[in-house]
Amino acid sequence: MTILEANLKHLYQRIGCWFLGLGFLGGIAGIVGTVLHSRNGAFEGFLIWMYIFGLFTASMQVEILTKPFSFCLPGHNRIPRKFLFTVCLSASFFISAVFLLYPAPNLATAALTGISTALAGTIFYWLGAWVVFSFANWVSTLAFFSLFSFSQHLNIPIIVENIIVNHIPSVIAAGFLVNFLAYLHWGKSDIAKKYCGKLRLSGFDAWNKQKLHAYTQSRMAEKKSVPEMSPAIEAFFIKRITNADQTLGRYIWGGLYTTFAIMLSSPKKWLVNLFIAIPVWLALGYLPGSGNIIFVLPGIMLIHAYLPVYSSLLIVGGRRERFWSALSVALADTLLITVLVLVFAALTIYLKPIMPALTVRGYTAHFTALDIRLFFLPMLMAPITLAIGLICYKNPTIAIITVIAVFTAIWVATLASLGKAHIKPMPHITPLLITCLIVCAWAVFIAVSRYVCVRRSLIKL
Amino acid sequence: MANENLIVQMQGGSKKFGKTVAMDNVNLDITAGHIIGLVGANGAGKSTLLRHIIGLHLADGGQCFTFGTEAGKLTPIELGKIGYVHQEGELLGWMTVGQIIRYVSAYYKNWNHQLEEKYISDFDIQLKKRVASLSPGQRQQLAILLAIGFEPELLILDEPASALDPLARGRFLDLLLHIIQNENKTIIISSHILSDIEKIIDHTIIMQRGVILRDCSFDRLREEFLSFTLTSLNGKLPERLPFENIISCQRNDNKAVVIVKNSSEEQLRTKAKNMNCEIQIKMLPLEDIYRIVVS
């Protein structure tokens, strides 16, 4: 068996690849269906498919390259290029064969359209592969795919189709050029040395908690990734922990210290983040209804919040102390995100009269203020998210998937129960109902955290 | 062990993780003033046992009392007497070494700043380094400092020296001997480096598959197994050696290296004399004793 064959075997030997393969097959079915029904989006869908395919196949190669044993395999430094090219060209030309069905005046034009599409696909494949080889935390770039949901508004599918079908020579030339550059780039002699022993996350490492932990630690070790704690903030909290003596207050202050000290120490970083976030939210204001995601996202992102329950560092805090510390941190987290989204919502209300209408390719968008009546969502979602985080504490990825699944299920169930009324759901949601829901959500959190603190093992690793 | 000064008492402690039995009907009494070596292979249940003592795990069956309180209900008063070094050395990676020392010390009124300074100087700990950037050995040194800084009555060390270099291990063992000079202190140390811990322990607990195989003083354990070299002074050794409870025997015609159980030195010397043989008796190292006990 050649090294290339051994590498290709990963595509079917890994259980994760089976699930991934199902996803990719679903994508191909979608592309074929779109072409057969002459709908827009097949070309754009194919390029996105190739990009994601590039991400995952390249990540498998990076995973092998980082393993020290592979450095000693004779001739292994030439395998990534062979593997990537084999997979890229096979997938690209195989799937783009479906574009032969694209309406064309003659067979030659149809064939050229197919070739143009395949080479455009390889460009996106190599882009994905380059992202994986260049960025240690490339998985986070998948978040940008949410932006594709707006592509219809911007006519992106039609633009892509126009370029591939009407500018065939340019696309083919660009495809050859990119493939040539990729051939040179992945043929560099130092490729094995560059990645050997490096800590890199692959697409399958979301389930590898030890690797995730090691990666988090290595990120923390870089001073630029986590800001320094301010001595004044440290002194403030340490004084309160010391003065609280043997009371519960000591553990509550301790929990708040470990959760908020860094945030409070780096106001500049938060201001910069706000300046980045504000234009994004303003842009969302031009897509009616989309901006309201701000009321939902912080509640989901709390899955990353640290609750001082599973810790073997400070065993001086007993189970009771851990419960109260976790509860106080959860309340503080919720208060913080609620205030933040309220400020954002209020800001959009004040901005609405002065924000101009935008016209892009004949589509005019008007700025819409956030629906401030939804301010209760963080208070409702935060306790549920934090409770799931406590239950699924061993693996953050499973916790995130669970949170998204739970909220999706609640959302679908709500829509189903409202029936046609969901078009204007707000009149059904009275302050009393909101209060009851929030109380119930917090009751769930208290019950879960109490159960965890009193009855469960408190070891995380 | 005698029952006075009992600080840990476990009766019928059992714990399962899925289908894996981590502790099976464990009975254990620990009195103050000892250095106890907890020995066993990976997965023997050592860490699980230690975590039950401080209430991080709760037993599925049986009971565990630490300082007279049920382990799952320990309050800061009892927990404030316990120092614990976790084998993975869980620390807050984003803090600097100095910050984490100040943070942990804030919880203890009796934090010994002199001891802290001495330890920092002896182990050359860099206070301004970020915890996440420490090597595994430096991280373990820091975890040890955080566990001993308040001079706990019970110090639980779960694989504390696995990442330390030989020099640091030597200094660490000296430190433990210094701590135990105070007769009220108790140390439970779990380690795979048996040659290290046998220098300091006075009591041994050997575990295998969640069961305690031996729980006795180290001296008694060492007396239980003896190794001797028997050399015939005239002619061949007899085909069958007249010793009882032989565990292993490697021999040729006039020399034999034998390990026996439950025989006193005096008995062995008398028998050797009767056989007209020269005998050299030595005590077995803990590693060999462990191998015999678990086999």
Side-chain angles (χ1 to χ4, degrees):
Chain A
M1 185 192 296
T2 64
I3 304 175
L4 178 63
E5 284 168 346
N7 273 258
L8 287 167
K9 274 190 164 187
H10 285 116
L11 292 174
Y12 67 85
Q13 279 181 332
R14 248 177 133 151
I15 293 175
C17 284
W18 283 76
F19 290 106
L20 210 57
L22 282 175
F24 283 126
L25 283 176
I28 293 171
I31 293 165
V32 172
T34 313
V35 172
L36 292 178
H37 291 93
S38 303
R39 286 199 300 260
N40 287 333
F43 290 91
E44 185 199 30
F46 172 64
L47 298 188
I48 294 171
W49 190 97
M50 284 299 288
Y51 176 77
I52 298 175
F53 193 57
L55 287 177
F56 279 95
T57 50
S59 83
M60 289 166 69
Q61 282 306 296
V62 169
E63 199 180 350
I64 296 168
L65 280 173
T66 55
K67 300 227 171 8
F69 81 89
S70 68
F71 187 77
C72 305
L73 289 176
H76 193 267
N77 59 341
R78 288 191 298 275
I79 293 303
R81 181 170 69 183
K82 272 189 186 175
F83 177 90
L84 294 174
F85 264 95
T86 307
V87 172
C88 169
L89 296 177
S90 311
S92 182
F93 279 91
F94 177 72
I95 300 167
S96 58
V98 75
F99 289 94
L100 293 172
L101 301 173
Y102 185 80
N106 51 50
L107 188 64
T109 312
L112 282 172
T113 304
I115 293 168
S116 169
T117 312
L119 285 167
T122 61
I123 295 173
F124 276 76
Y125 177 91
W126 291 118
L127 178 65
W130 177 79
V131 165
V132 169
F133 274 76
S134 305
F135 302 102
N137 187 16
W138 63 268
V139 179
S140 56
T141 64
L142 290 171
F144 288 107
F145 276 94
S146 55
L147 297 176
F148 278 100
S149 55
F150 308 123
S151 66
Q152 287 285 350
H153 293 293
L154 302 172
N155 281 342
I156 299 288
I158 293 167
I159 295 169
V160 169
E161 186 174 337
N162 183 32
I163 292 171
I164 292 176
V165 176
N166 297 329
H167 300 82
I168 289 174
S170 306
V171 174
I172 290 177
F176 274 113
L177 178 66
V178 169
N179 276 277
F180 176 67
L181 292 175
Y183 186 82
L184 295 180
H185 182 70
W186 274 276
K188 286 179 183 168
S189 58
D190 65 342
I191 191 165
K193 196 168 79 180
K194 195 173 168 186
Y195 293 95
C196 180
K198 296 277 168 22
L199 190 61
R200 302 288 295 256
L201 290 182
S202 83
F204 300 99
D205 287 330
W207 276 263
N208 187 341
K209 62 178 179 178
Q210 277 173 337
K211 199 166 174 186
L212 281 177
H213 180 70
Y215 184 76
T216 314
Q217 288 292 315
S218 73
R219 292 275 296 160
M220 281 183 188
E222 296 166 18
K223 292 219 167 184
K224 60 182 179 187
S225 66
V226 182
E228 299 265 353
M229 183 158 49
S230 144
I233 297 291
E234 186 195 0
F236 172 83
F237 280 104
I238 294 289
K239 192 177 173 189
R240 266 137 199 91
I241 293 169
T242 311
N243 291 347
D245 205 13
Q246 290 291 353
T247 62
L248 270 175
R250 164 173 285 182
Y251 304 94
I252 292 171
W253 279 114
L256 295 174
Y257 173 48
T258 49
T259 310
F260 296 110
I262 284 291
M263 188 194 292
L264 295 171
S265 298
S266 49
K268 276 184 195 166
K269 189 183 175 188
W270 293 101
L271 281 176
V272 169
N273 286 346
L274 277 180
F275 277 110
I276 295 168
I278 286 172
V280 174
W281 299 126
L282 291 181
L284 288 173
Y286 283 99
L287 302 165
S290 304
N292 287 330
I293 200 169
I294 193 178
F295 294 107
V296 178
L297 274 185
I300 293 174
M301 285 165 72
L302 270 188
I303 197 69
H304 296 296
Y306 168 78
L307 293 183
V309 172
Y310 300 103
S311 168
S312 57
L313 169 65
L314 261 177
I315 60 158
V316 68
R319 287 172 175 266
R320 177 172 164 264
E321 287 73 24
R322 286 170 195 247
F323 166 71
W324 285 105
S325 182
L327 183 60
S328 55
V329 170
L331 285 168
D333 279 339
T334 309
L335 184 68
L336 180 73
I337 60 167
T338 307
V339 169
L340 274 177
V341 296
L342 267 174
V343 169
F344 266 119
L347 194 68
T348 58
I349 290 169
Y350 284 108
L351 284 173
K352 193 186 172 190
I354 56 169
M355 293 301 282
L358 293 181
T359 304
V360 181
R361 293 182 169 269
Y363 172 77
T364 303
H366 297 277
F367 186 80
T368 317
L370 298 178
D371 193 342
I372 204 160
R373 291 172 302 169
L374 297 171
F375 81 97
F376 65 89
L377 281 175
M379 286 189 276
L380 188 62
M381 293 173 70
I384 305 280
T385 303
L386 292 167
I388 291 170
L390 281 178
I391 295 166
C392 306
Y393 68 100
K394 283 191 174 174
N395 193 313
T397 308
I398 291 173
I400 292 168
I401 292 169
T402 311
V403 165
I404 292 170
V406 166
F407 286 127
T408 307
I410 292 173
W411 183 245
V412 170
T414 309
L415 288 184
S417 65
L418 287 171
K420 284 185 180 175
H422 81 266
I423 299 162
K424 283 185 178 176
M426 290 306 285
H428 298 266
I429 303 174
T430 61
L432 181 65
L433 179 63
I434 291 169
T435 310
C436 289
L437 288 172
I438 291 172
V439 169
C440 287
W442 280 97
V444 168
F445 174 76
I446 289 171
V448 168
S449 55
R450 183 88 188 144
Y451 170 76
V452 166
C453 289
V454 174
R455 303 213 175 233
R456 284 250 301 237
S457 291
L458 300 179
I459 289 286
K460 189 165 192 175
L461 288 169
Chain B
M1 268 191 258
N3 274 336
E4 75 275 11
N5 294 328
L6 202 60
I7 54 172
V8 176
Q9 189 175 30
M10 185 180 277
Q11 293 165 338
S14 303
K15 183 76 179 175
K16 272 186 179 179
F17 296 109
K19 287 180 181 174
T20 309
V21 179
M23 267 181 12
D24 188 8
N25 195 25
V26 169
N27 295 304
L28 178 70
D29 288 345
I30 293 173
T31 50
H34 292 277
I35 299 192
I36 298 149
L38 183 57
V39 181
N42 288 331
K46 307 186 296 292
S47 296
T48 306
L49 174 64
L50 296 177
R51 288 165 184 177
H52 275 84
I53 291 172
I54 49 179
L56 288 176
H57 281 325
L58 296 177
D60 297 334
Q63 284 182 312
C64 180
F65 291 90
T66 305
F67 290 112
T69 305
E70 202 179 311
K73 293 176 182 168
L74 289 169
T75 68
I77 294 170
E78 293 91 23
L79 289 167
K81 299 176 191 171
I82 304 172
Y84 175 54
V85 177
H86 186 235
Q87 64 178 335
E88 282 93 12
E90 188 194 341
L91 300 165
L92 297 168
W94 51 271
M95 284 190 181
T96 64
V97 173
Q99 284 165 351
I100 202 167
I101 293 172
R102 287 192 289 277
Y103 169 54
V104 173
S105 64
Y107 284 83
Y108 298 98
K109 260 187 176 175
N110 52 339
W111 187 267
N112 186 336
H113 291 281
Q114 280 181 327
L115 175 69
E116 174 196 320
E117 282 166 21
K118 186 179 179 309
Y119 188 94
I120 287 168
S121 147
D122 286 354
F123 285 84
D124 196 19
I125 290 175
Q126 292 161 285
L127 295 172
K128 289 189 176 172
K129 256 191 154 183
R130 191 162 276 185
V131 172
S133 69
L134 299 177
S135 68
Q138 290 170 325
R139 206 173 294 197
Q140 255 182 350
Q141 287 171 359
L142 176 60
I144 291 165
L145 168 60
L146 299 178
I148 63 166
F150 55 100
E151 299 182 306
E153 286 182 32
L154 172 61
L155 181 57
I156 295 177
L157 305 164
D158 191 358
E159 292 290 346
S162 56
L164 300 184
D165 61 60
L167 288 176
R169 279 209 323 262
R171 282 198 295 266
F172 169 63
L173 295 173
D174 290 343
L175 181 78
L176 293 186
L177 287 171
H178 177 75
I179 290 171
I180 203 68
Q181 279 172 1
N182 182 335
E183 61 185 20
N184 286 325
K185 308 285 182 198
T186 306
I187 299 173
I188 308 176
I189 180 167
S190 144
S191 177
H192 288 300
I193 309 170
L194 303 187
S195 55
D196 275 355
I197 65 165
E198 74 176 330
K199 293 173 191 163
I200 54 167
I201 60 172
D202 59 17
H203 194 92
T204 318
I205 297 171
I206 298 178
M207 288 190 79
Q208 191 183 30
R209 294 194 197 102
V211 176
I212 291 182
L213 299 179
R214 280 286 193 288
D215 178 5
C216 60
S217 79
F218 187 41
D219 285 343
R220 211 180 107 192
L221 190 68
R222 294 191 83 179
E223 284 164 6
E224 190 178 334
F225 301 97
L226 290 174
S227 167
F228 61 88
T229 307
L230 195 68
T231 312
S232 170
L233 294 176
N234 54 348
K236 290 181 180 178
L237 286 171
E239 193 87 345
R240 188 182 158 84
L241 296 176
F243 300 99
E244 287 165 3
N245 300 323
I246 293 178
I247 290 169
S248 76
C249 178
Q250 290 174 311
R251 58 171 292 173
N252 55 28
D253 284 346
N254 57 0
K255 197 168 188 176
V257 178
V258 185
I259 297 175
V260 290
K261 187 182 170 187
N262 293 331
S263 297
S264 68
E265 276 194 39
E266 210 176 304
Q267 286 171 330
L268 297 176
R269 286 190 198 286
T270 309
K271 282 185 180 167
K273 197 176 174 185
N274 293 342
M275 292 165 68
N276 198 17
C277 290
E278 185 186 81
I279 188 166
Q280 284 179 309
I281 303 171
K282 64 171 185 179
M283 287 191 170
L284 286 173
L286 180 57
E287 198 166 323
D288 289 349
I289 296 173
Y290 168 72
R291 205 174 290 132
I292 293 166
V293 170
V294 299
S295 62

